[in-house]
Amino acid sequence: VQLQASGGGLVQTGGSLRLSCAASGFIFNFVPMGWYRQTPGKQRELVASITSGGRTDYADSVKGRFTISRDNAKNTVYLSMNRLKPEDTAVYYCNGAPLLRAFGSWGQGTQVTVSS
């Protein structure tokens, strides 16, 4: 299994980013996927998930600001992030969702830094 997240960067408060995650090594179409984030000293947090059929769910902290989507033809999951806040600063990873369905391989993730 390989999960390659990209698209992170440094943005100001209120800015936007779009993350992408290219997946391989498993049958992507059948797997619910999620975006997680982690900051030093804290547990990894699931912020958004999407089923194979496209049903989405969000953590309260990002609801209304983040949108998860997937392209099964491209084995890719996306996270559009708007109205970013400094507390969104973290390394973002994609993987199976929820956590119990995550693969052992997490990849390097992509750093998102929101300046105040």
Side-chain angles (χ1 to χ4, degrees), residues 85-105:
K85 304 175 181 180
E87 50 264 43
D88 295 319
T89 295
V91 179
Y92 284 72
Y93 304 85
C94 75
N95 211 316
L99 188 59
L100 285 176
R101 301 194 65 165
F103 299 101
S105 172

Side-chain angles (χ1 to χ4, degrees), residues 47-62:
V47 298
S49 62
I50 184 167
T51 67
S52 55
R55 187 172 71 247
T56 59
D57 195 21
Y58 300 92
D60 287 343
S61 58
V62 307

